[in-house]
Amino acid sequence: MVSFSNRKTRRTWTPNVQTKRLWSDSFGTLLKLRVTTSVLKLIDKFGGLDNYLTSTPDERLASELGVSLKEQVLEQQRRKAAGEELLPVPKQTCDRFAALQAEQGQQRAQAA
């Protein structure tokens, strides 16, 4: 079926991805992450980033970074409860974001 305007191309939908700094109670610092606006609403609903990560199944997180952050948050909470030495702040969030941006820049340069 063709629309009234006779436009034959399909529209593509992309997720509304935002770069945000989100507070982590476990690490006591802000983490720079790329998240969709729907996930931002879920983080508010669950009461914070750590609660969202710990209560969401791995299949639903749908990213390696989300699953690894979840594991680090759970380990940090376990160490706090046991009174052990705490983990350092995960730097991979910013590093992976910078690496992705550099990779996308290279792809754009090759395309031009």
Side-chain angles (χ1 to χ4, degrees):
M1 181 171 181
V2 179
S3 69
F4 177 75
S5 65
N6 209 18
R7 191 167 99 195
K8 295 178 178 70
T9 58
R10 302 286 274 158
R11 185 173 194 277
T12 58
W13 296 92
T14 56
N16 187 359
V17 179
Q18 305 290 322
T19 302
K20 294 289 181 183
R21 293 178 354 164
L22 300 169
W23 180 259
S24 171
D25 291 328
S26 297
F27 293 104
T29 187
L30 291 168
L31 301 177
K32 189 174 184 179
L33 300 170
R34 289 183 43 160
V35 294
T36 61
T37 52
S38 60
V39 168
L40 284 173
K41 289 179 185 178
L42 286 172
I43 290 171
D44 277 344
K45 180 179 176 180
F46 281 98
L49 178 64
D50 296 344
N51 292 338
Y52 169 72
L53 288 172
T54 55
S55 59
T56 305
D58 290 349
E59 303 84 41
R60 187 102 167 98
L61 290 175
S63 75
E64 293 176 19
L65 178 61
V67 173
S68 69
L69 269 177
K70 177 181 179 175
E71 291 169 358
Q72 290 177 16
V73 165
L74 289 171
E75 177 64 19
Q76 187 80 328
Q77 289 174 349
R78 186 195 64 76
R79 286 182 179 212
K80 277 185 179 180
E84 298 175 10
E85 184 179 340
L86 300 179
L87 294 172
V89 176
K91 295 206 182 273
Q92 66 186 5
T93 57
C94 297
D95 295 342
R96 280 192 184 176
F97 178 68
L100 282 172
Q101 280 189 328
E103 184 179 311
Q104 288 173 353
Q106 290 173 354
Q107 289 174 352
R108 286 187 198 126
Q110 290 174 353

